[in-house]
Amino acid sequence: MILVTGATGLVGSHLLLHLLQQGEENVRAMYRNTQSIAKTKHVFELYDVLALFETIQWVQADILDVPALEEAFFGITHVYHCAAFVSFDPKDEKIVRKTNIEGTANVVNMCIAHRITKLCHVSSIAALGESLHPTTPITEQTEWNPELYHSDYALSKFGGEMEVWRGTQEGLDVVIVNPGVIFGRGFYREGSSELFYKVHQGFPFYTTGTTAVVAVEDVVHCMYQLMRSAHKNERYILVADNLENRELLHFIAALLHKKPASFKIGRTGLSIAWRLDALVSIVTRKKRSFTRAIAKASLSCSIYDASKIKQTLSFTFSPYQEFLPNSSTGFN
C-alpha cells in the first residue's frame, strides 16, 4: 500500500490523482482536518474523475504526531512525503523548522521501523547549493555554502534532506526531488497562484531576477516513475524553464488580459520595501507579505539544470507556455 503525506496540498492532491489514474488501487492519504480534504476533492472534480477520489483511504494524522503516524504507516510499503510548511515570515521560523526537519525525521524513522520499500521525499531547489558564478547552472552536485544567507525555509528543507540521507545510512532506499516553483490547478490564491492574483490586481513592479518553474503534473509524473525504477539514493532537480521575472509576469499578464508590470525595482527599493513591510506587520500585527528572504529571491539570477532527470527517465518537461494557461483557472 502507498502512503501520501501532505495529501491535501498542491503536489499531494495531484499525486493522488496520478497514482489512481495509473491504476494504483491501494492508496492511503494523510490529512490534518476534514475541511482540507475538500481541496483535494476539488482537484479531482476539475479533471472530472470524482469516482477515483472515492477510492482513497483517508487517515487523520500529522507528521509531528508520532502515535498517529504509527497508525498511518500500518501495512504501508511505499511512501511519498509531500508534507511541508512553506513560509518566509520570520515569525514562522519555529514551526517551519519543526515541521520540515523534525516532521521529516519522524517520517524517516517510521519508514525504517516499518521496513518501507522506498521513500520519495519532496524537497525544493531552495535546499540546493548556490553557484559561485551567475552564469554557471546549479546542479544536484552544487555544494551548499553555510556561510551564505539562507531563508528559514531553505534551511529547513536542507535540514529535512539531511534526515532523509540519514535514513539511507540505516538501509532505507530513497529518492529526493527538488522542484522549482510549482504551478497547477485547484489552489486559488495559495502558493504559486498568488502570483496570478497579484498580476490580476495590477501589480506594477518587476525585478531583474529569474524564477525556475515547473508543472505539478510533471513533478508527480517524475516522482511516480522514480519510485517504480531501480534508481535510489539520488536527488533530482525538477525545473522546466528558468524565466526572467519580467518575462514571467508579462506572460501571466497577457493570459489575464491585464496591463504588464512596467516599473523595475532594484536592490535599494526592495530593501526599503521589506523593512516597511516589517514595520507595518509590527503595528498592525498582520502576517508579513514581503520579507528579506523574498526580496533576496526576487533578485536571484540562479539557473537550475534539470539534465539529470531528463536523462534518467528520458523525460521532457512541459514548457511554461503550455502549463501556465491551465494554472490561470479562476482568474480569467
Side-chain angles (χ1 to χ4, degrees):
M1 175 171 274
I2 296 170
L3 175 66
V4 177
T5 74
T8 60
L10 176 64
V11 174
S13 60
H14 282 82
L15 175 62
L16 288 175
L17 174 64
H18 187 77
L19 290 171
L20 296 171
Q21 286 180 326
Q22 295 303 310
E24 299 290 348
E25 297 180 350
N26 298 307
V27 179
R28 184 177 298 163
M30 281 175 46
Y31 73 98
R32 289 191 298 171
N33 58 73
T34 53
Q35 291 83 357
S36 63
I37 296 178
K39 297 178 182 179
T40 303
K41 184 177 181 180
H42 178 56
V43 169
F44 281 72
E45 289 174 336
L46 286 174
Y47 289 89
D48 197 25
V49 286
L50 199 54
L52 290 178
F53 173 82
E54 303 299 334
T55 68
I56 301 171
Q57 181 185 126
W58 289 96
V59 57
Q60 188 169 18
D62 190 303
I63 59 174
L64 294 175
D65 183 347
V66 174
L69 271 181
E70 193 73 59
E71 293 186 20
F73 267 76
F74 181 78
I76 296 298
T77 59
H78 293 75
V79 177
Y80 290 87
H81 180 36
C82 307
F85 194 98
V86 182
S87 174
F88 296 95
D89 189 334
K91 294 179 182 178
D92 292 330
E93 175 187 0
K94 185 176 180 180
I95 186 61
V96 165
R97 297 201 184 202
K98 188 174 181 65
T99 302
N100 298 345
I101 300 177
E102 182 182 323
T104 298
N106 290 339
V107 170
V108 170
N109 292 339
M110 285 295 167
C111 287
I112 295 171
H114 288 263
R115 301 181 183 276
I116 296 302
T117 302
K118 200 170 185 179
L119 164 69
C120 177
H121 173 61
V122 181
S123 186
S124 166
I125 56 172
L128 298 171
E130 292 186 327
S131 176
L132 296 177
H133 304 285
T135 57
T136 302
I138 294 173
T139 70
E140 291 82 357
Q141 286 71 46
T142 302
E143 293 186 7
W144 173 275
N145 186 346
E147 301 298 322
L148 298 177
Y149 168 80
H150 297 95
S151 68
D152 293 324
Y153 175 70
L155 289 169
S156 74
K157 296 303 286 185
F158 179 79
E161 282 196 19
M162 293 303 100
E163 293 295 338
V164 175
W165 293 128
R166 170 182 61 83
T168 66
Q169 299 301 309
E170 299 184 45
L172 177 63
D173 289 346
V174 310
V175 287
I176 297 177
V177 293
N178 298 84
V181 179
I182 306 171
F183 287 88
R185 302 172 66 190
F187 286 76
Y188 180 74
R189 287 208 64 184
E190 290 187 37
S192 60
S193 72
E194 183 69 20
L195 187 59
F196 284 89
Y197 177 76
K198 288 183 177 180
V199 174
H200 188 268
Q201 295 297 106
F203 190 72
F205 303 105
Y206 70 91
T207 63
T208 56
T210 59
T211 300
V213 300
V214 65
V216 68
E217 292 86 356
D218 286 349
V219 171
V220 299
H221 177 91
C222 290
M223 290 167 63
Y224 183 63
Q225 292 303 317
L226 287 170
M227 285 287 273
R228 287 170 55 85
S229 74
H231 300 288
K232 63 179 182 179
N233 304 343
E234 297 280 352
R235 71 199 308 206
Y236 301 87
I237 292 174
L238 305 184
V239 167
D241 297 285
N242 294 278
L243 299 175
E244 292 184 358
N245 290 337
R246 184 172 183 270
E247 180 183 6
L248 175 59
L249 290 171
H250 280 211
F251 185 81
I252 293 176
L255 287 176
L256 303 182
H257 306 292
K258 296 292 181 178
K259 183 179 179 179
S262 55
F263 298 100
K264 182 172 71 173
I265 183 169
R267 190 176 304 276
T268 301
L270 290 171
S271 181
I272 294 173
W274 73 257
R275 285 177 169 84
L276 283 175
D277 183 79
L279 180 61
V280 171
S281 177
I282 292 172
V283 173
T284 64
R285 297 185 179 181
K286 291 184 178 180
K287 194 174 182 65
R288 296 285 301 277
S289 61
F290 192 75
T291 65
R292 179 188 179 190
I294 296 175
K296 181 179 182 296
S298 68
L299 290 173
S300 172
C301 295
S302 297
I303 301 299
Y304 295 88
D305 183 356
S307 297
K308 183 177 180 180
I309 191 68
K310 293 177 182 178
Q311 296 169 2
T312 299
L313 300 180
S314 297
F315 184 74
T316 301
F317 286 98
S318 302
Y320 75 93
Q321 295 94 334
E322 291 184 8
F323 64 78
L324 283 181
N326 290 330
S327 302
S328 65
T329 302
F331 294 94
N332 291 314

